Amino acid sequence: MAAERLRITVAVALPGAVQETVVELPVGSRLGDALAAAAVVPDGEHDAGIWSRARPLDTVLTAGDRVEVYRPLRVDPKTARRERFRAQGARATGLFAGRRAGAKAGY
């Protein structure tokens, strides 16, 4: 009987696309092993994780895991929201944007 193997999907977020590679590894393999098997080595700027959760490279994998390599954010989400709000104006956004003229505040 052959030794059991894990089927792991390695996904790399590239600008405008996601590249997925399926690799087979022996049971007990770690996150770093999956990245090496897929020829993906994250540098200091990129983090890696399993199923959208950042994990250290020595995390043991289980069958069916999706290993992901993350790029750093180009823009802070809070800053982007503030800029959108500033561009739209206070009356065009939020919960009460579509309220009728003359209606009570909050209704």
Side-chain angles (χ1 to χ4, degrees):
M1 184 166 119
E4 289 188 38
R5 306 215 19 113
L6 302 173
R7 286 183 62 93
I8 305 296
T9 302
V10 179
V12 180
L14 302 172
V18 175
Q19 174 188 350
E20 290 187 359
T21 307
V22 177
V23 295
E24 288 195 15
L25 300 169
V27 174
S29 295
R30 301 185 184 279
L31 180 67
D33 300 333
L35 296 175
V40 177
V41 180
D43 55 12
E45 292 183 20
H46 295 75
D47 292 326
I50 301 172
W51 290 111
S52 301
R53 299 200 184 253
R55 299 284 184 235
L57 296 178
D58 62 350
T59 303
V60 177
L61 298 171
T62 59
D65 276 346
R66 177 184 166 97
V67 173
E68 300 165 338
V69 178
Y70 311 116
R71 291 181 294 135
L73 294 175
R74 294 184 333 179
V75 178
D76 179 33
K78 286 184 179 180
T79 303
R81 181 181 177 281
R82 285 188 195 114
E83 292 299 320
R84 281 194 313 272
F85 185 80
R86 189 173 298 128
Q88 292 173 349
R91 297 196 184 272
T93 60
L95 181 61
F96 306 111
R99 100 181 156 188
R100 296 173 304 165
K104 293 181 180 179
Y107 293 95

Coordinates of all heavy atoms in Angstrom, one line a residue:
M1 N 0.8 -1.2 0.0 CA 0.0 0.0 0.0 C 0.9 1.2 0.0 O 1.8 1.4 0.8 CB -0.9 0.0 1.3 CG -1.9 1.1 1.3 SD -3.1 0.7 2.6 CE -2.8 2.1 3.6
A2 N 0.6 2.2 -0.9 CA 1.4 3.4 -1.0 C 1.1 4.3 0.2 O 0.0 4.3 0.8 CB 1.0 4.1 -2.3
A3 N 2.1 5.1 0.5 CA 2.0 6.1 1.6 C 0.9 7.1 1.3 O 0.7 7.5 0.2 CB 3.3 6.7 1.9
E4 N 0.1 7.5 2.3 CA -0.9 8.5 2.1 C -0.3 9.8 1.7 O 0.8 10.2 2.2 CB -1.8 8.6 3.4 CG -2.6 7.5 3.6 CD -3.6 7.7 4.8 OE1 -4.1 8.9 4.9 OE2 -3.8 6.8 5.6
R5 N -1.0 10.6 0.9 CA -0.6 11.9 0.4 C -1.7 12.9 0.6 O -2.8 12.5 0.6 CB -0.1 11.8 -1.0 CG 0.9 10.7 -1.2 CD 2.0 10.8 -2.1 NE 2.5 12.0 -2.7 CZ 3.7 12.5 -2.4 NH1 4.5 11.9 -1.5 NH2 4.2 13.5 -3.0
L6 N -1.3 14.1 0.8 CA -2.2 15.2 0.9 C -2.3 16.0 -0.4 O -1.3 16.3 -1.0 CB -1.8 16.2 2.0 CG -1.5 15.6 3.4 CD1 -0.9 16.7 4.3 CD2 -2.8 15.2 4.0
R7 N -3.5 16.3 -0.8 CA -3.7 17.2 -2.0 C -4.0 18.6 -1.5 O -5.0 18.8 -0.8 CB -4.9 16.7 -2.8 CG -4.6 15.5 -3.6 CD -5.8 15.1 -4.5 NE -6.1 16.2 -5.5 CZ -5.7 16.2 -6.7 NH1 -4.8 15.3 -7.2 NH2 -6.0 17.2 -7.5
I8 N -3.1 19.5 -1.8 CA -3.1 20.8 -1.3 C -3.2 21.8 -2.5 O -2.5 21.6 -3.4 CB -1.8 21.2 -0.4 CG1 -1.6 20.1 0.7 CG2 -1.9 22.6 0.1 CD1 -2.7 20.1 1.7
T9 N -4.0 22.8 -2.4 CA -4.1 23.8 -3.4 C -3.3 25.0 -2.9 O -3.5 25.5 -1.8 CB -5.6 24.3 -3.6 OG1 -6.3 23.1 -4.0 CG2 -5.7 25.3 -4.7
V10 N -2.4 25.5 -3.7 CA -1.6 26.7 -3.4 C -2.1 27.8 -4.3 O -2.1 27.7 -5.5 CB -0.1 26.5 -3.6 CG1 0.7 27.7 -3.2 CG2 0.3 25.3 -2.7
A11 N -2.6 28.9 -3.7 CA -3.1 30.1 -4.4 C -2.2 31.3 -4.2 O -1.9 31.6 -3.0 CB -4.5 30.4 -4.0
V12 N -1.9 32.0 -5.3 CA -1.0 33.2 -5.2 C -1.8 34.3 -5.8 O -2.3 34.2 -6.9 CB 0.3 33.0 -5.9 CG1 1.1 34.2 -5.8 CG2 1.0 31.8 -5.4
A13 N -2.0 35.4 -5.0 CA -2.7 36.6 -5.5 C -1.8 37.4 -6.3 O -0.9 38.1 -5.8 CB -3.3 37.4 -4.3
L14 N -2.0 37.4 -7.6 CA -1.2 38.3 -8.5 C -2.1 39.5 -8.9 O -3.3 39.4 -8.7 CB -0.9 37.5 -9.8 CG -0.1 36.2 -9.6 CD1 0.0 35.5 -10.9 CD2 1.3 36.5 -9.0
P15 N -1.5 40.6 -9.3 CA -2.3 41.7 -9.7 C -3.3 41.4 -10.8 O -2.9 41.0 -11.9 CB -1.3 42.8 -10.2 CG 0.0 42.4 -9.5 CD -0.1 40.9 -9.4
G16 N -4.6 41.4 -10.5 CA -5.6 41.1 -11.5 C -6.0 39.7 -11.7 O -6.9 39.3 -12.5
A17 N -5.3 38.7 -11.0 CA -5.6 37.3 -11.1 C -5.2 36.5 -9.9 O -4.4 37.0 -9.1 CB -5.0 36.8 -12.4
V18 N -5.7 35.3 -9.8 CA -5.2 34.4 -8.8 C -4.7 33.1 -9.5 O -5.4 32.5 -10.3 CB -6.4 34.0 -7.8 CG1 -5.9 32.9 -6.8 CG2 -6.9 35.2 -7.1
Q19 N -3.4 32.8 -9.2 CA -2.8 31.6 -9.8 C -2.9 30.4 -8.8 O -2.5 30.5 -7.6 CB -1.4 31.8 -10.1 CG -0.6 30.6 -10.6 CD 0.9 30.9 -10.7 OE1 1.3 32.1 -10.5 NE2 1.7 29.9 -10.8
E20 N -3.6 29.3 -9.2 CA -3.7 28.2 -8.3 C -3.0 27.0 -8.8 O -3.0 26.7 -10.0 CB -5.2 27.8 -8.2 CG -6.0 28.8 -7.4 CD -7.5 28.3 -7.2 OE1 -7.8 27.2 -7.6 OE2 -8.2 29.0 -6.5
T21 N -2.3 26.3 -7.9 CA -1.5 25.1 -8.2 C -1.9 24.0 -7.2 O -2.0 24.3 -6.0 CB 0.0 25.4 -8.2 OG1 0.3 26.5 -9.0 CG2 0.8 24.2 -8.6
V22 N -2.1 22.8 -7.7 CA -2.4 21.7 -6.8 C -1.2 20.8 -6.7 O -0.6 20.4 -7.7 CB -3.6 20.8 -7.4 CG1 -3.8 19.6 -6.5 CG2 -4.9 21.6 -7.5
V23 N -0.8 20.6 -5.4 CA 0.4 19.8 -5.2 C 0.0 18.6 -4.3 O -0.9 18.7 -3.5 CB 1.6 20.6 -4.5 CG1 2.0 21.7 -5.4 CG2 1.1 21.2 -3.2
E24 N 0.8 17.5 -4.4 CA 0.6 16.4 -3.5 C 1.8 16.2 -2.6 O 3.0 16.2 -3.1 CB 0.4 15.1 -4.3 CG -0.9 15.0 -5.0 CD -1.3 13.7 -5.5 OE1 -0.6 12.7 -5.1 OE2 -2.2 13.6 -6.3
L25 N 1.6 16.2 -1.3 CA 2.6 16.1 -0.3 C 2.4 15.0 0.6 O 1.3 14.5 0.8 CB 2.7 17.4 0.5 CG 2.9 18.7 -0.3 CD1 2.6 19.9 0.5 CD2 4.3 18.7 -0.8
P26 N 3.5 14.5 1.3 CA 3.3 13.4 2.3 C 2.6 14.0 3.5 O 2.6 15.2 3.8 CB 4.7 13.0 2.6 CG 5.6 14.0 2.1 CD 4.9 14.8 1.1
V27 N 1.9 13.1 4.2 CA 1.2 13.4 5.5 C 2.2 14.0 6.5 O 3.4 13.5 6.6 CB 0.5 12.2 6.1 CG1 -0.1 12.5 7.5 CG2 -0.6 11.7 5.2
G28 N 1.9 15.1 7.2 CA 2.8 15.7 8.1 C 3.6 16.9 7.5 O 4.4 17.5 8.2
S29 N 3.3 17.2 6.2 CA 4.0 18.3 5.6 C 3.5 19.6 6.2 O 2.4 19.7 6.8 CB 3.7 18.3 4.1 OG 4.2 17.2 3.5
R30 N 4.3 20.6 6.0 CA 4.1 21.9 6.6 C 3.8 23.0 5.5 O 4.0 22.7 4.4 CB 5.2 22.3 7.5 CG 5.5 21.3 8.6 CD 6.6 21.8 9.5 NE 6.9 20.7 10.5 CZ 6.2 20.5 11.6 NH1 5.1 21.3 11.9 NH2 6.5 19.6 12.5
L31 N 3.3 24.1 6.0 CA 3.0 25.2 5.1 C 4.2 25.6 4.2 O 4.0 25.7 3.0 CB 2.5 26.4 5.9 CG 2.1 27.6 5.1 CD1 0.8 27.4 4.3 CD2 1.9 28.8 6.1
G32 N 5.3 25.7 4.7 CA 6.5 26.0 4.0 C 6.8 24.9 2.9 O 7.3 25.3 1.8
D33 N 6.5 23.7 3.2 CA 6.8 22.6 2.2 C 5.8 22.8 1.0 O 6.2 22.5 -0.1 CB 6.5 21.2 2.9 CG 7.4 20.9 4.0 OD1 8.5 21.5 4.1 OD2 7.0 20.2 4.9
A34 N 4.6 23.2 1.2 CA 3.6 23.4 0.1 C 4.1 24.5 -0.7 O 4.0 24.4 -2.0 CB 2.3 23.6 0.7
L35 N 4.6 25.6 -0.1 CA 5.1 26.7 -0.9 C 6.3 26.3 -1.7 O 6.4 26.7 -2.9 CB 5.4 27.9 0.0 CG 4.2 28.5 0.8 CD1 4.7 29.6 1.7 CD2 3.2 29.0 -0.2
A36 N 7.2 25.5 -1.2 CA 8.4 25.1 -1.9 C 8.0 24.1 -3.0 O 8.5 24.2 -4.1 CB 9.3 24.4 -0.9
A37 N 7.0 23.2 -2.8 CA 6.6 22.3 -3.9 C 5.9 23.0 -5.0 O 6.0 22.6 -6.2 CB 5.6 21.3 -3.3
A38 N 5.2 24.2 -4.7 CA 4.6 24.9 -5.8 C 5.5 26.0 -6.4 O 5.1 26.8 -7.2 CB 3.3 25.6 -5.2
A39 N 6.8 26.0 -6.0 CA 7.8 27.0 -6.4 C 7.4 28.4 -6.1 O 7.6 29.3 -6.9 CB 8.1 26.8 -7.9
V40 N 6.8 28.6 -4.9 CA 6.4 29.9 -4.4 C 7.1 30.1 -3.1 O 6.9 29.3 -2.1 CB 4.9 30.0 -4.2 CG1 4.5 31.3 -3.6 CG2 4.1 29.7 -5.5
V41 N 7.9 31.1 -3.0 CA 8.6 31.4 -1.8 C 8.3 32.8 -1.4 O 8.7 33.7 -2.1 CB 10.1 31.2 -1.9 CG1 10.8 31.5 -0.6 CG2 10.5 29.8 -2.4
P42 N 7.4 33.0 -0.4 CA 7.1 34.4 0.0 C 8.3 35.1 0.5 O 9.1 34.6 1.3 CB 6.0 34.2 1.1 CG 6.3 32.9 1.6 CD 6.8 32.1 0.5
D43 N 8.5 36.4 0.1 CA 9.6 37.2 0.6 C 9.1 37.9 1.9 O 8.1 37.6 2.4 CB 10.1 38.2 -0.4 CG 9.0 39.0 -1.0 OD1 7.9 39.0 -0.4 OD2 9.2 39.7 -2.0
G44 N 9.9 38.8 2.4 CA 9.5 39.5 3.6 C 8.3 40.3 3.5 O 7.6 40.6 4.5
E45 N 7.9 40.7 2.3 CA 6.7 41.5 2.2 C 5.4 40.7 2.2 O 4.3 41.2 2.5 CB 6.7 42.3 0.9 CG 7.8 43.4 0.9 CD 7.7 44.2 -0.4 OE1 6.7 44.2 -1.1 OE2 8.7 44.8 -0.8
H46 N 5.5 39.5 1.8 CA 4.3 38.6 1.6 C 4.1 37.7 2.8 O 5.0 37.1 3.2 CB 4.4 37.8 0.3 CG 4.4 38.7 -0.9 ND1 5.5 39.4 -1.3 CD2 3.5 39.0 -1.8 CE1 5.2 40.1 -2.4 NE2 4.0 39.8 -2.8
D47 N 2.8 37.6 3.2 CA 2.4 36.6 4.2 C 1.8 35.4 3.6 O 1.3 35.5 2.4 CB 1.5 37.2 5.2 CG 2.1 38.3 6.0 OD1 3.3 38.2 6.3 OD2 1.4 39.3 6.4
A48 N 1.8 34.3 4.3 CA 1.1 33.1 3.8 C 0.1 32.6 4.9 O 0.3 32.9 6.0 CB 2.1 32.0 3.5
G49 N -0.9 31.9 4.4 CA -1.9 31.4 5.4 C -2.6 30.2 4.8 O -2.4 29.8 3.7
I50 N -3.6 29.7 5.6 CA -4.4 28.6 5.2 C -5.9 29.1 5.3 O -6.3 29.5 6.4 CB -4.2 27.4 6.1 CG1 -2.7 27.0 6.0 CG2 -5.1 26.2 5.7 CD1 -2.3 25.9 7.0
W51 N -6.6 29.0 4.3 CA -8.0 29.3 4.2 C -8.2 30.7 4.8 O -9.0 30.9 5.8 CB -8.9 28.3 5.0 CG -9.0 27.0 4.2 CD1 -8.5 25.8 4.6 CD2 -9.7 26.8 3.0 NE1 -8.8 24.9 3.7 CE2 -9.6 25.4 2.7 CE3 -10.4 27.6 2.1 CZ2 -10.1 24.9 1.5 CZ3 -11.0 27.0 1.0 CH2 -10.8 25.7 0.7
S52 N -7.6 31.7 4.3 CA -7.7 33.1 4.6 C -7.3 33.5 6.1 O -7.7 34.6 6.6 CB -9.2 33.6 4.5 OG -9.6 33.4 3.1
R53 N -6.5 32.7 6.7 CA -6.0 33.0 8.0 C -4.5 32.9 8.0 O -3.9 31.8 7.6 CB -6.5 32.1 9.1 CG -8.1 32.2 9.2 CD -8.5 31.6 10.5 NE -10.0 31.6 10.5 CZ -10.7 32.5 11.2 NH1 -10.1 33.4 12.0 NH2 -12.0 32.4 11.2
A54 N -3.8 34.0 8.3 CA -2.3 34.0 8.3 C -1.8 32.9 9.3 O -2.3 32.8 10.4 CB -1.8 35.3 8.7
R55 N -0.8 32.1 8.9 CA -0.3 31.1 9.7 C 1.3 31.1 9.5 O 1.8 31.5 8.5 CB -0.8 29.7 9.3 CG -2.3 29.5 9.4 CD -2.6 29.4 10.9 NE -4.0 29.1 11.0 CZ -4.9 29.8 11.8 NH1 -4.4 30.8 12.5 NH2 -6.1 29.5 11.9
P56 N 2.0 30.6 10.5 CA 3.5 30.5 10.4 C 3.8 29.4 9.4 O 3.0 28.5 9.2 CB 4.0 30.2 11.8 CG 2.8 29.8 12.6 CD 1.6 30.3 11.9
L57 N 5.0 29.4 8.9 CA 5.4 28.4 7.8 C 5.6 27.0 8.4 O 5.6 26.1 7.6 CB 6.7 28.9 7.2 CG 6.6 30.2 6.4 CD1 8.0 30.5 5.8 CD2 5.6 30.1 5.3
D58 N 5.6 26.9 9.7 CA 5.8 25.5 10.3 C 4.4 24.9 10.7 O 4.4 23.9 11.3 CB 6.7 25.5 11.5 CG 6.2 26.4 12.6 OD1 5.2 27.1 12.4 OD2 6.8 26.4 13.7
T59 N 3.3 25.4 10.2 CA 2.0 24.9 10.5 C 1.8 23.6 9.7 O 2.0 23.5 8.5 CB 0.9 25.9 10.1 OG1 1.1 27.1 10.8 CG2 -0.5 25.4 10.4
V60 N 1.3 22.5 10.4 CA 1.1 21.2 9.7 C -0.2 21.3 8.9 O -1.2 21.8 9.4 CB 1.0 20.1 10.8 CG1 0.7 18.8 10.1 CG2 2.3 20.0 11.6
L61 N -0.1 20.8 7.7 CA -1.3 20.8 6.8 C -2.2 19.6 6.9 O -1.7 18.5 7.4 CB -0.8 20.9 5.3 CG 0.0 22.1 5.0 CD1 0.6 21.9 3.6 CD2 -0.8 23.4 5.0
T62 N -3.4 19.7 6.6 CA -4.4 18.6 6.5 C -4.9 18.5 5.1 O -4.8 19.4 4.3 CB -5.5 18.8 7.5 OG1 -6.2 20.0 7.2 CG2 -5.0 18.8 9.0
A63 N -5.5 17.3 4.8 CA -6.0 17.1 3.4 C -7.0 18.2 3.1 O -7.9 18.5 3.8 CB -6.6 15.7 3.3
G64 N -6.9 18.7 1.8 CA -7.9 19.6 1.3 C -7.6 21.1 1.7 O -8.4 22.0 1.4
D65 N -6.5 21.4 2.4 CA -6.2 22.7 2.8 C -5.9 23.6 1.5 O -5.5 23.1 0.5 CB -5.0 22.8 3.7 CG -5.3 22.6 5.1 OD1 -6.5 22.6 5.5 OD2 -4.4 22.3 5.9
R66 N -6.2 24.9 1.6 CA -5.9 25.9 0.6 C -4.9 26.8 1.2 O -5.2 27.6 2.1 CB -7.2 26.6 0.2 CG -6.9 27.7 -0.9 CD -8.2 28.5 -1.1 NE -7.9 29.7 -1.8 CZ -8.0 29.8 -3.2 NH1 -8.4 28.8 -3.9 NH2 -7.8 31.0 -3.7
V67 N -3.7 26.7 0.7 CA -2.6 27.6 1.1 C -2.6 28.8 0.2 O -2.7 28.7 -1.0 CB -1.2 26.9 1.0 CG1 -0.1 27.8 1.3 CG2 -1.2 25.7 1.9
E68 N -2.5 30.0 0.9 CA -2.6 31.3 0.1 C -1.5 32.1 0.5 O -1.0 32.2 1.6 CB -3.9 32.0 0.5 CG -5.2 31.1 0.2 CD -6.4 31.6 0.9 OE1 -6.3 32.3 1.9 OE2 -7.5 31.3 0.4
V69 N -1.0 32.8 -0.6 CA 0.1 33.8 -0.4 C -0.5 35.2 -0.6 O -1.2 35.4 -1.6 CB 1.2 33.6 -1.4 CG1 2.3 34.6 -1.2 CG2 1.8 32.2 -1.2
Y70 N -0.4 36.1 0.4 CA -1.1 37.4 0.3 C -0.1 38.5 0.0 O 1.0 38.5 0.4 CB -1.7 37.7 1.7 CG -2.5 36.5 2.3 CD1 -2.1 35.9 3.4 CD2 -3.6 36.1 1.6 CE1 -2.8 34.8 3.9 CE2 -4.4 35.1 2.1 CZ -4.0 34.4 3.3 OH -4.7 33.4 3.8
R71 N -0.6 39.4 -0.8 CA 0.1 40.6 -1.2 C -0.2 41.7 -0.1 O -1.3 41.7 0.4 CB -0.2 41.1 -2.5 CG 0.2 40.3 -3.7 CD -0.2 40.9 -5.0 NE -1.7 40.9 -5.1 CZ -2.4 41.9 -5.6 NH1 -1.8 43.0 -6.0 NH2 -3.7 41.8 -5.7
P72 N 0.7 42.6 0.1 CA 0.4 43.7 1.0 C -0.7 44.6 0.4 O -0.8 44.7 -0.8 CB 1.7 44.5 1.2 CG 2.5 44.1 0.0 CD 2.1 42.7 -0.4
L73 N -1.5 45.3 1.2 CA -2.5 46.2 0.7 C -1.8 47.4 0.1 O -0.8 47.9 0.7 CB -3.4 46.6 1.9 CG -4.3 45.6 2.5 CD1 -5.0 46.1 3.7 CD2 -5.2 45.0 1.5
R74 N -2.4 47.9 -1.0 CA -1.8 49.1 -1.6 C -2.4 50.4 -0.9 O -1.7 51.4 -0.9 CB -2.2 49.2 -3.1 CG -1.6 48.1 -3.9 CD -1.8 48.2 -5.3 NE -3.1 48.8 -5.7 CZ -3.5 49.0 -6.9 NH1 -2.8 48.6 -7.9 NH2 -4.7 49.6 -7.1
V75 N -3.6 50.3 -0.4 CA -4.2 51.4 0.3 C -4.8 50.9 1.6 O -5.5 49.9 1.6 CB -5.3 52.0 -0.6 CG1 -6.0 53.2 0.1 CG2 -4.7 52.5 -1.9
D76 N -4.7 51.7 2.6 CA -5.3 51.3 3.9 C -6.9 51.5 3.7 O -7.3 52.5 3.2 CB -4.9 52.3 5.0 CG -5.5 52.0 6.3 OD1 -5.8 50.9 6.6 OD2 -5.7 53.0 7.1
P77 N -7.6 50.4 4.0 CA -9.1 50.5 3.8 C -9.8 51.7 4.5 O -10.7 52.2 4.0 CB -9.6 49.2 4.4 CG -8.4 48.3 4.4 CD -7.2 49.1 4.6
K78 N -9.3 52.1 5.7 CA -9.9 53.2 6.4 C -9.7 54.5 5.6 O -10.5 55.3 5.4 CB -9.4 53.4 7.8 CG -9.9 52.3 8.8 CD -9.3 52.6 10.1 CE -9.8 51.7 11.2 NZ -9.3 51.9 12.5
T79 N -8.5 54.6 5.1 CA -8.1 55.8 4.3 C -9.0 55.9 3.0 O -9.5 56.9 2.6 CB -6.7 55.8 3.9 OG1 -5.9 55.8 5.1 CG2 -6.3 57.1 3.2
A80 N -9.1 54.7 2.4 CA -9.9 54.7 1.1 C -11.4 55.0 1.4 O -12.0 55.8 0.6 CB -9.8 53.3 0.5
R81 N -11.9 54.6 2.5 CA -13.3 54.9 2.9 C -13.5 56.4 3.1 O -14.4 57.0 2.7 CB -13.8 54.1 4.1 CG -15.2 54.4 4.5 CD -15.6 53.6 5.7 NE -16.9 53.9 6.1 CZ -17.3 55.0 6.8 NH1 -16.4 55.9 7.1 NH2 -18.6 55.2 7.1
R82 N -12.5 57.0 3.8 CA -12.6 58.4 4.1 C -12.5 59.2 2.8 O -13.2 60.2 2.7 CB -11.4 58.8 5.0 CG -11.6 58.4 6.5 CD -10.5 59.0 7.3 NE -10.6 58.3 8.6 CZ -9.6 57.5 9.1 NH1 -8.5 57.4 8.4 NH2 -9.7 56.9 10.2
E83 N -11.7 58.8 1.9 CA -11.6 59.5 0.6 C -12.9 59.4 -0.2 O -13.3 60.4 -0.8 CB -10.4 59.0 -0.2 CG -9.1 59.3 0.4 CD -8.8 60.8 0.5 OE1 -9.2 61.5 -0.4 OE2 -8.2 61.2 1.5
R84 N -13.5 58.2 -0.2 CA -14.8 58.0 -0.9 C -15.8 58.9 -0.3 O -16.6 59.6 -1.0 CB -15.2 56.6 -0.9 CG -14.5 55.7 -1.9 CD -15.2 54.4 -2.1 NE -15.6 53.7 -0.8 CZ -14.8 52.9 -0.1 NH1 -13.6 52.6 -0.6 NH2 -15.2 52.3 1.0
F85 N -15.9 58.9 1.0 CA -16.9 59.7 1.7 C -16.7 61.2 1.4 O -17.6 61.9 1.2 CB -16.8 59.5 3.2 CG -17.8 60.2 4.1 CD1 -19.1 59.6 4.2 CD2 -17.6 61.3 4.7 CE1 -20.1 60.2 4.9 CE2 -18.5 62.0 5.5 CZ -19.8 61.4 5.6
R86 N -15.5 61.7 1.4 CA -15.1 63.1 1.2 C -15.6 63.4 -0.3 O -16.1 64.5 -0.5 CB -13.7 63.3 1.4 CG -13.3 64.8 1.3 CD -11.8 65.0 1.7 NE -11.6 64.6 3.1 CZ -10.6 63.7 3.4 NH1 -9.8 63.3 2.5 NH2 -10.4 63.4 4.7
A87 N -15.4 62.5 -1.2 CA -15.7 62.8 -2.6 C -17.2 62.8 -2.8 O -17.7 63.6 -3.6 CB -15.1 61.8 -3.5
Q88 N -17.9 61.9 -2.1 CA -19.4 61.8 -2.3 C -20.1 62.9 -1.6 O -21.2 63.3 -2.0 CB -19.9 60.5 -1.9 CG -19.4 59.3 -2.7 CD -19.8 58.0 -2.1 OE1 -20.2 57.9 -1.0 NE2 -19.7 57.0 -2.9
G89 N -19.6 63.3 -0.4 CA -20.3 64.3 0.4 C -21.2 63.5 1.4 O -21.6 62.4 1.2
A90 N -21.5 64.2 2.5 CA -22.1 63.5 3.7 C -23.6 63.2 3.3 O -24.1 62.2 3.8 CB -22.1 64.4 4.9
R91 N -24.3 64.0 2.5 CA -25.7 63.8 2.2 C -25.9 62.6 1.3 O -27.0 62.1 1.2 CB -26.3 65.0 1.7 CG -26.3 66.1 2.7 CD -27.2 67.2 2.3 NE -27.2 68.4 3.2 CZ -27.9 68.4 4.3 NH1 -28.7 67.5 4.6 NH2 -27.7 69.5 5.1
A92 N -25.0 62.2 0.5 CA -25.1 61.2 -0.5 C -24.8 59.8 0.0 O -24.9 58.8 -0.8 CB -24.3 61.5 -1.8
T93 N -24.4 59.7 1.2 CA -23.9 58.4 1.7 C -24.7 58.0 3.0 O -25.3 58.8 3.6 CB -22.4 58.4 2.0 OG1 -22.2 59.4 3.0 CG2 -21.6 58.7 0.8
G94 N -24.5 56.8 3.4 CA -25.0 56.4 4.7 C -26.4 55.9 4.7 O -27.1 55.7 3.7
L95 N -26.9 55.6 5.9 CA -28.2 55.0 6.1 C -29.4 55.9 5.6 O -30.4 55.4 5.1 CB -28.4 54.6 7.6 CG -29.7 53.9 8.0 CD1 -29.8 52.6 7.3 CD2 -29.7 53.8 9.5
F96 N -29.3 57.2 5.8 CA -30.4 58.1 5.5 C -30.2 58.8 4.2 O -30.7 59.9 4.0 CB -30.6 59.0 6.6 CG -30.7 58.3 7.9 CD1 -29.8 58.4 8.9 CD2 -31.9 57.5 8.2 CE1 -29.9 57.7 10.1 CE2 -32.0 56.9 9.3 CZ -31.1 56.9 10.3
A97 N -29.4 58.3 3.3 CA -29.1 59.0 2.0 C -30.4 59.2 1.2 O -30.5 60.2 0.5 CB -28.1 58.2 1.2
G98 N -31.3 58.3 1.2 CA -32.5 58.3 0.4 C -33.7 58.9 1.1 O -34.8 58.6 0.6
R99 N -33.6 59.6 2.1 CA -34.8 60.1 2.9 C -35.5 61.2 2.2 O -34.9 62.0 1.4 CB -34.3 60.4 4.3 CG -34.1 61.8 4.6 CD -33.7 62.1 6.0 NE -33.0 63.4 5.9 CZ -32.4 63.9 6.9 NH1 -32.2 63.3 8.0 NH2 -31.8 65.1 6.7
R100 N -36.7 61.3 2.4 CA -37.6 62.3 1.7 C -37.3 63.7 2.2 O -36.9 63.9 3.4 CB -39.0 62.0 2.0 CG -39.5 60.7 1.4 CD -40.9 60.4 1.8 NE -40.9 60.4 3.3 CZ -42.0 60.5 4.0 NH1 -43.2 60.6 3.5 NH2 -41.9 60.5 5.4
A101 N -37.4 64.7 1.4 CA -37.3 66.1 1.8 C -38.3 66.4 2.8 O -39.5 66.1 2.7 CB -37.4 67.0 0.6
G102 N -37.9 67.1 3.9 CA -38.8 67.5 5.0 C -39.1 66.4 6.0 O -39.9 66.6 6.9
A103 N -38.6 65.2 5.8 CA -38.8 64.1 6.8 C -38.1 64.4 8.1 O -37.1 65.1 8.1 CB -38.4 62.8 6.2
K104 N -38.5 63.8 9.2 CA -37.8 63.9 10.4 C -36.4 63.3 10.4 O -36.2 62.3 9.7 CB -38.6 63.3 11.6 CG -39.9 63.9 11.9 CD -40.5 63.2 13.0 CE -41.9 63.8 13.4 NZ -42.5 63.0 14.5
A105 N -35.5 63.8 11.1 CA -34.2 63.3 11.1 C -34.2 61.8 11.7 O -34.8 61.6 12.7 CB -33.3 64.1 12.0
G106 N -33.6 60.9 11.0 CA -33.5 59.5 11.4 C -34.6 58.7 10.8 O -34.7 57.5 11.1
Y107 N -35.5 59.2 10.0 CA -36.6 58.5 9.5 C -36.7 58.6 8.0 O -36.2 59.5 7.4 CB -38.0 58.9 10.1 CG -38.1 58.6 11.5 CD1 -37.8 59.6 12.5 CD2 -38.5 57.4 11.9 CE1 -37.9 59.3 13.8 CE2 -38.6 57.1 13.3 CZ -38.3 58.0 14.2 OH -38.4 57.7 15.5

